[in-house]
Amino acid sequence: MSVSHESSQRRKRILTPLVQESTPAIIARKLHDAIASGDFPPGSQLTESGLAADLGVSRGPLREAMQRLTAEGLLVSHRNRGLFVVSMDDDDIRDMYVARTAVERAAVGQVIVRGEHTAVDDLNDAVAAMREFIDEPNGAEMAEADMLFHQTLVDHAHSQRLSRLHETILVETRMCLRAMRGTYSSGKDRIDEHQTLVDAIAAGDAPAADRLMIEHMRDGLHRLVGDEPSEAASTA
């Protein structure tokens, strides 16, 4: 066996393979981003003709992308009226937080089980990014840094299924976070809440991390709909 062949076998892969996305997948991602950013606010109607013209695509792949978002619950079809961005009432928000809490609690457990130092490093980096906006606890930049933290957490669970579930929840959460602006009186409190969770993960303290995640989600729900934690939830 030649030296060059041996070295090629030992060579560590540095770059990951390119992932070829289909046109409907690209369109769906663009629609996700537009809904999450508020370009298409809750309740707004999406028309095939207008979107096809904006995106420069035919109606076939656009229709498939819109069907994907309908299946995910981000778009809703009203008979004889068309497709609309979902409007989230208090019950929808409560239900979304049930799903989000389940996904992120599972992610916390997986991150602790895997015990990767890079996960803790990346989560600390995400908290540091939030710290840059400590003087604007209700600003758009702080909200986006907050979402980056949670995305980082789920990414490090290395679960494709959790990530798929979280992708849709993330869009709904961004819609909700816009409504939460103005509810934080202290940037330090918002940041410390995330840092305490990272510290529990770094210590491998699964019960504490799980409890902190439950409390974090409960606080977010309270800020949105004013629900007080039930006695049962307090002992979860």
Side-chain angles (χ1 to χ4, degrees):
M1 182 180 295
S2 66
V3 174
S4 61
H5 182 59
E6 288 178 351
S7 62
S8 66
Q9 283 187 321
R10 292 194 303 266
R11 181 181 178 275
K12 180 181 178 181
R13 174 178 285 172
I14 299 174
L15 302 176
T16 58
L18 295 175
V19 177
Q20 298 294 327
E21 284 189 290
S22 65
T23 300
I26 295 172
I27 296 171
R29 179 162 45 79
K30 285 183 173 291
L31 291 175
H32 267 118
D33 293 344
I35 293 171
S37 65
D39 293 333
F40 296 134
S44 60
Q45 184 175 13
L46 302 186
T47 62
E48 287 186 7
S49 59
L51 291 175
D54 289 345
L55 294 168
V57 298
S58 62
R59 294 198 183 189
L62 173 62
R63 190 173 293 120
E64 182 178 339
M66 295 174 81
Q67 288 172 347
R68 294 186 185 190
L69 268 63
T70 302
E72 293 176 15
L74 293 178
L75 298 181
V76 59
S77 177
H78 294 301
R79 189 173 182 179
N80 299 325
R81 292 180 58 202
L83 284 173
F84 295 79
V85 178
V86 65
S87 294
M88 298 183 67
D89 60 21
D90 285 357
D91 285 341
D92 291 319
I93 294 171
R94 291 186 186 98
D95 190 48
M96 184 269 286
Y97 264 83
V98 168
R100 185 181 173 195
T101 301
V103 168
E104 297 204 25
R105 286 178 70 186
V108 165
Q110 285 300 302
V111 170
I112 290 176
V113 167
R114 295 178 69 89
E116 295 177 349
H117 293 298
T118 54
V120 174
D121 290 343
D122 289 347
L123 287 169
N124 276 319
D125 288 345
V127 174
M130 294 179 65
R131 211 177 302 280
E132 294 180 16
F133 309 106
I134 192 169
D135 294 329
E136 299 179 4
N138 298 295
E141 293 87 355
M142 174 66 89
E144 192 58 34
D146 189 324
M147 292 312 306
L148 176 62
F149 174 92
H150 291 278
Q151 182 66 65
T152 301
L153 173 67
V154 175
D155 285 347
H156 276 288
H158 297 292
S159 167
Q160 293 182 358
R161 288 169 178 80
L162 282 181
S163 292
R164 283 201 302 268
L165 290 169
H166 198 245
E167 181 180 2
T168 297
I169 295 172
L170 201 65
V171 177
E172 294 178 326
T173 304
R174 280 194 168 98
M175 294 166 65
C176 292
L177 279 177
R178 288 196 299 276
M180 285 171 63
R181 292 181 190 173
T183 65
Y184 288 96
S185 59
S186 167
K188 181 179 183 300
D189 289 346
R190 187 171 187 175
I191 292 164
D192 288 349
E193 195 171 319
H194 291 77
Q195 185 65 63
T196 302
L197 176 59
V198 177
D199 293 343
I201 292 172
D205 191 340
D210 187 60
R211 173 178 53 78
L212 289 166
M213 178 57 75
I214 292 172
E215 292 174 355
H216 182 60
M217 292 297 167
R218 186 186 299 144
D219 177 69
L221 181 60
H222 173 67
R223 291 176 184 279
L224 285 168
V225 301
D227 283 353
E228 294 293 345
S230 67
E231 184 177 344
S234 299
T235 58

